[in-house]
Amino acid sequence: SDEERVGRLREMGVRMFSALAYPHRAGMAADLNAWTMAFAAATPGCLPSATFYPEPGVAEYVRAAVAGGARIFKAHLQVGGYSPTDPLLDGVWGLLAEAGVPVVVHAGHAPVGTEHTGPGPIGAVLGRHPGLTAIIAHMGAPDYLAFLRLARDYEQVYVDTTMVFTGFFDALAPFPAAGLPLARELGLAGKILLGSDYPNIPHPYAQQLGALARQKFGAAWLRAVCWDNPVAMFGPPGG
């Protein structure tokens, strides 16, 4: 149940988390937002979360979600099957950039690429909206280096660690050794945030933390990624 899953997070010491949902067709997003926003309001520690889809009226319900206190959005280009450069979304990206509300974007090709995934399409959006606060899910796997460079080059672009370095992703899209120095640098620079995809993951939650620790980037890096960087973006838990 939802209560059991939240209880597990609290038992593991998780102080702040999101409830990311995303539509795969038109007509879903507003209802998803109603659920996720209500869930956050009733669940201490949960960031008010929202989503969107390229459809008529999208700017209006995104604006309503921001006005209602949404602190994080999710866009899944692969599951949604849409281009981030869809003209219907141009106003949304601009609205989120102006409001300073982060959006987690599954923009990478893993596990299955489409014409809308990869660094090119979301890179085009960032070119038009360089102030957009974007968190690239899964470090952009499998194009890790390209997405890490986007995080290096754009002040408001970040990546998250979801499934990266775990056995599941090592088999699917292993992280290149050449990218390790940049990953270490960006973590310490505040540009990498812990992600897990809990509870929809093929391994125990602890495997993500263990995978990060095995990289031997040091205690300062782990603290930055697992605590300092998220707190810098969203404020302290309960704040």
Side-chain angles (χ1 to χ4, degrees):
S1 68
D2 295 338
E3 293 76 15
E4 289 172 318
R5 290 169 176 177
V6 171
R8 291 283 181 87
L9 289 174
R10 301 204 197 292
E11 290 169 4
M12 292 186 289
V14 176
R15 299 282 302 280
M16 179 168 54
F17 54 93
S18 54
L20 301 182
Y22 42 87
H24 62 272
R25 56 176 170 77
M28 291 179 64
D31 287 340
L32 289 173
N33 290 350
W35 189 92
T36 53
M37 295 288 282
F39 178 77
T43 308
C46 183
L47 295 169
S49 310
T51 188
F52 51 84
Y53 190 85
E55 57 189 333
V58 58
E60 286 74 16
Y61 66 70
V62 168
R63 187 175 293 108
V66 171
R71 297 177 63 193
I72 188 168
F73 280 74
K74 174 66 182 263
H76 203 309
L77 307 181
Q78 184 188 82
V79 170
Y82 60 84
S83 171
T85 62
D86 189 306
L88 286 167
L89 293 180
D90 197 55
V92 170
W93 300 124
L95 191 160
L96 294 177
E98 183 177 350
V101 178
V103 53
V104 177
V105 186
H106 185 123
H109 290 311
V112 180
T114 74
E115 62 183 308
H116 307 309
T117 55
I122 192 64
V125 170
L126 293 168
R128 288 203 296 271
H129 303 281
L132 178 69
T133 302
I135 304 169
I136 305 299
H138 309 284
M139 284 194 191
D143 295 312
Y144 298 104
L145 284 173
F147 282 103
L148 287 172
R149 291 184 186 116
L150 281 179
R152 179 193 63 193
D153 295 342
Y154 284 90
E155 183 179 358
Q156 293 302 116
V157 175
Y158 304 77
V159 299
D160 78 26
T161 67
T162 302
M163 296 188 181
V164 179
F165 303 122
T166 67
F168 179 77
F169 253 41
D170 281 349
L172 179 69
F175 192 91
L180 293 173
L182 185 54
R184 185 179 186 280
E185 171 193 334
L186 292 177
L188 292 169
K191 306 286 274 182
I192 300 178
L193 295 87
L194 175 67
S196 71
D197 265 6
Y198 175 87
N200 303 317
I201 49 178
H203 48 248
Y205 184 97
Q207 284 194 17
Q208 179 70 78
L209 299 177
L212 299 178
R214 283 196 300 275
Q215 304 316 303
K216 301 187 185 306
F217 290 147
W221 188 92
L222 283 172
R223 181 176 178 84
V225 168
C226 297
W227 183 266
D228 294 338
N229 299 348
V231 167
M233 178 173 288
F234 297 106

